[in-house]
Each structure stands twice: as structure tokens, then as C-alpha cells.
Amino acid sequence: MSSQKSRFRSARIYGRTDRDGFIHRSWMKSEGLPANVFDGRPVIGICNTWSELTPCNYHLRDLAEHVKRGVWEAGGLPLEFPAMSLGETQMRPTAMLFRNLLAMEVEESIRGNPIDAVVLLGGCDKTTPGPLMGAASVDLPTIVVSSGPMLNGKFRGGDIGSGTDVWKFSEAVRAGEMLPKDFAAAESGMSRSPGTCMTMGTASTFACLVEAMGLSLPYNATIPAVDARRRVLAHETGRMIVEMAHKDIRLSHIITRKALENAICTIAAIGGSTNAVIHLLAIAGRLGIPLQLKDFDRLSSEIPLIVDLQPSGRFLMEDFHYAGGLPAALHQVADKLSLDAPTVSGQTLGEVIAQAECFNDEVIRDATKPAREHSGIWVLNGNLCPNGAIMKPSAAQTSLYRHRGRAVVFETIEDFKARIDDPTLDVDDSSVLVLKGCGPKGYPGMPEVGNMPLPRKILARGVKDMVRISDARMSGTAFGTVILHVAPESEAGGPLAIVKTGDEILFDGHARKLELLISDAEIEARLENWRNTHTPPKWNRGYYRLYYDHVLQADRGCDLDFLVGASGSNVERESH
Ligand code: FES
């Protein structure tokens, strides 16, 4: 059988004439596969995070069929397999808790099966980085096909954006500026098609970063989910992954240090989600590429906001695509990028963006007339966050870039919800809202609650932003002067744990400082007391227990400590 001469790992399984070869092939023939497809051609795994519980990925079975067409056309054998799907709007306590579980599942599914290369189908926030982390630890040729953004939301004749307008409308209802019946009407007009949030939320951000890192074909990030051109892209991806399998172009050949740096620059240019920081750190950890929190500030803070999309700006992903998509945006910051970085298209990143044209300079700004001067990620240091904290200046009110105020502390999210609208709450416009217990271990899973709603009585005064500090994340669709990912988190005994209502806090964005204005001796005394009185949560079994015992802090990507690194694709033993 010719497959015995094939160099593919699948040929070591399908190319045998003994009992084990019989077993491997015979059961696959039950799917209607003829004998000739086991002739040594590359087997392409199509990892699909489709689920009816993940509406953003609802159309991925259709896209998978188009990937298969391309694989067959190019002479490969496509085999689709499911992976746990994580619906951001459906899962409790938070989809982030399960990102690492998804990564483990994908890693072992790829390694354990006779697969030579893999196409990852994902979209909703965790369903791109999770599979990518798993795939990175196996390191076969890999391409991502994203869900693509849903159509622009519509309400009262105008566009509305996923998430971003939910936060705005919700605050407007609380402030008495929007009728509940209009709130309900907006709910029906916001999500009009399958696809991911069409603001520059986490899903759109990460799809852009995947494209910027060269791990998808050009325009993968922006083609709307229901646009026929996404099916074409899926078909072309099927052809391309077969070529990559033949050339043995592995994931680690594409995601290099340069590619990660290009991704960090891209976060700034697009006004991307703070969640991307955690996911990129985790992916770098899988690949053994040194990447630190400070790299995000160093590489991104000099880059202005080029793409004028919500939540940092005005427009939505459909507009972004029709204006020229990510290549046109990267064209504006080309001097900051490593243009010789390879992409799965076979071209370098520089070659891809050299061909790009901009068709709407309101949406994709010229670098000399950016949407904002300050973009990217600010990485803060100080005694309140010894291992760092981050914020997104493009989503914040510039008048709060330097602020000193009195802390109003909430010990848990339940405490926050119970008291935030209490008319007797001792809070004013200059207060700093502090939320504890929402980090990786504390919640558990580090939910997107860092963009705390403002107190009703402050909203009623027309105030739209306050400084907020927590160990939580925030939705990529959210906005405000929100300091996130404080590390170590309160549950891990970081100084956040000992902040009391009434303490003074200084935030100086330009100096990258976050300071609790009490003495070192007082901090140490309070921490000592915290250590003596703190009772950790009792997760006795299952994934919660595994996660709590092993999750790393935000500054290290929140991976599980034993998943950092890679194990390659080799499996020594037969199954029978
Ligand atoms: Fe799935 Fe936003 S909820 S991408």
C-alpha cells in the first residue's frame, strides 16, 4: 500500500497491513470512506466548536463543509471532530473558567488521532484561544477559520453594537433615560445573524490577532459571518492546509516572537480587547516564547488608534470589512511591524498588507489622523499590583488618566450588587470603586465584571465614568477607566485583598502607577492579618478543584501550571 511510503503520521496508522491497520481502516470505512483515501494522503482534522449553546458559532457546521471541499480538492482526507464549545453569553460562572479545559481537550484530540494538520473553527471569545493553545502544544500545521462577525445591530434606524450598547442602554435605563420597552426592542435588533459580536470585542480582537500573526488567510477576521466570501475563505483554507501539510509548515513556524509582537501592535491599532493580553501570554507559554506583561506596554503604547470601532470608537465590524479590513489597517502602522513574518497564505505579512486598499478613511484612519493618540495597553505597577495590572486608555475618559480618590470597596460581586444602588452608599464622583474576589481563583474563572456599573445616584448626576479597580477581566465590548487583572489577585493574597473603604488610591496612567496610599508597614500588618484569617473556598472535586489548585495568575496568562509548554505530536503506544 502506497501509504507505507508516506511521511505523514497518519500513514503510520492507516498504512499498515497488519491487524492494527485493519482495525484503524475498517471502522473508518463504516463512514463510507473508500479504500483509496487511505493511500498516504494527509489527514486534515477539522476541529469544530459548533454548538447551539454558542450562537456565535452556530454556522460552523456549514463552514466546516466548505473547508472539506477545499481539502478534498487538494487531495487530502478531511475528518471533522467536535470540541467543547464555550458560549460567552450562556456559561456560568464564566466561559473563561473552561478555556483551559477546552485547550486540553483539543490538544489530546489532535495528538491522539491520526491527524497530520488541523483547521481550527472557532469564534466566540474562548473558542479561538483555547483550541489554539491546545494546537500549539502539539505543533502540527494549523490554520484558523473564524466565525466572522455578525451583521451590524439595528435599532430605531441606527446601528447598535454587541455588548457596548447593552452596557450603555442598561445604564440609561438605570438613569431613567431609556424606557424598558425600548430596551426590549433593542434586544431583538442587536443580534441579527450568526457570528461573533460585531464590536471590537474579544472575539473580533482575537480574530484580528490571529490574522495579524499569519495563522489565517487574509480578511478572515472581518468578512461577515453570513457573507458568501467567508465560505470561499473556508474552501481556500481547506486547499491551503493540505499544502501546508505537504510542506510541513507547523504552527510554531508561523507563531514566532515576531508574530506575537505584530499581534501586540495590532491590539493598539484596532483598539482591541484587554482579554487578548491573557490569551497571548498563554499561547506564548505553550510555545516556549518569552513574553511578559511589560512587552504589551512597550510595543503598543506608541501606536495610535487606527480603527474607529466601538467600544473605543464609532463603527462596527461590517463597516471595518467594507472599509478594507485588517490588512488596510495594518498598512497604516506597517513601520511598527515585522513585515517579513510568514503567513499561512504563503506570503509574508508585508506582502499581504502591501496590496491592501482603504475605501473609507472614517473607519480606517490615516496614521496622521488617528481616532485617538493613546491606544494599546497600559501596564501599571505599584504597591497595589506588585505583578502588574492593565488598562485600555482608548476606552477610558482622558480626564481620569490621572486621578486620586477614596476607595469604596466591595468584597465580592454579591456585595457589589447588593450595595451599589443603595442611596446611603458613601460614594461621590471622585471615589474609586474597588472590587475583590473576581480573579482566576477567586470567582473562580476571572469573569468579565471589572467594568462595574456606576452607582445609580452618580449616574443621575450625568457622570459617565469613574476609576474602577479589580482583579477581574472586562468584556472587550466594554469601556471606561477600568483597571483590570490586578496581580496577584485578592484570593491569592495580593494587596488588593487588604484595601479598605476610605483608603486613598492614586492612579497615574502616564506614569503607569497604581498606588495604595498607606505605609508599607500598614500594608504588611494587614496582609499578615489576612493570611491568618482567610479561608480558601472548598472545591472538593472535578475540574473546579483542578483549576483552583493549578491556575496561574493573569500576568502569566491564566493557564494551568502543568499545561505550560508542549508535548509534541508523538504517541508511542498502539491502542490494541
Ligand atoms: Fe460570542 Fe461575543 S458573545 S463573540
Side-chain angles (χ1 to χ4, degrees), residues 383-389 409-415 434-447 449 469-473 483-500 516 526-537 548 551-555:
N383 64 4
L384 192 45
C385 53
N387 293 343
V409 175
F410 303 92
E411 296 295 330
T412 63
I413 192 69
E414 290 76 20
D415 179 30
V434 176
L435 175 62
K436 305 177 188 176
C438 295
K441 289 175 183 283
Y443 202 70
M446 206 180 179
V449 297
I469 302 172
S470 74
D471 44 15
R473 298 178 301 121
I483 295 163
L484 302 154
H485 306 190
V486 167
E489 63 174 302
S490 57
E491 177 62 27
L496 185 70
I498 53 91
V499 183
K500 293 181 180 172
L516 180 61
R526 289 192 198 178
L527 281 173
E528 180 66 20
N529 181 52
W530 182 89
R531 287 189 283 267
N532 292 335
T533 55
H534 178 65
T535 313
Y548 184 87
V551 70
L552 297 169
Q553 291 292 289
D555 60 306

Side-chain angles (χ1 to χ4, degrees), residues 56 88-89 123-125 196-197 203:
C56 316
E88 195 66 27
T89 54
C124 196
D125 294 14
T196 48
C197 294

Side-chain angles (χ1 to χ4, degrees), residues 54 56-57 86-89 123-125 150 162 195-197 202-204 477:
T54 308
C56 316
N57 296 7
L86 306 177
E88 195 66 27
T89 54
C124 196
D125 294 14
M150 63 172 84
S162 312
T196 48
C197 294
T202 304
S204 295
T477 63

Side-chain angles (χ1 to χ4, degrees), residues 35-65:
N36 71 292
V37 302
F38 302 106
D39 58 1
R41 69 185 67 193
V43 175
I44 308 300
I46 300 172
C47 174
N48 199 341
T49 53
W50 169 87
S51 168
E52 287 183 345
L53 285 164
T54 308
C56 316
N57 296 7
Y58 182 68
H59 56 308
L60 288 185
R61 282 202 297 193
D62 175 56
L63 277 184
E65 293 305 318

Side-chain angles (χ1 to χ4, degrees), residues 323-359:
L326 186 70
L330 295 185
H331 193 79
Q332 295 299 325
V333 294
D335 59 325
K336 310 281 191 205
L337 302 171
S338 294
L339 298 176
D340 58 345
T343 77
V344 296
S345 71
Q347 296 180 301
T348 63
L349 183 68
E351 288 167 340
V352 170
I353 67 178
Q355 302 153 8
E357 286 185 76
C358 176
F359 306 109

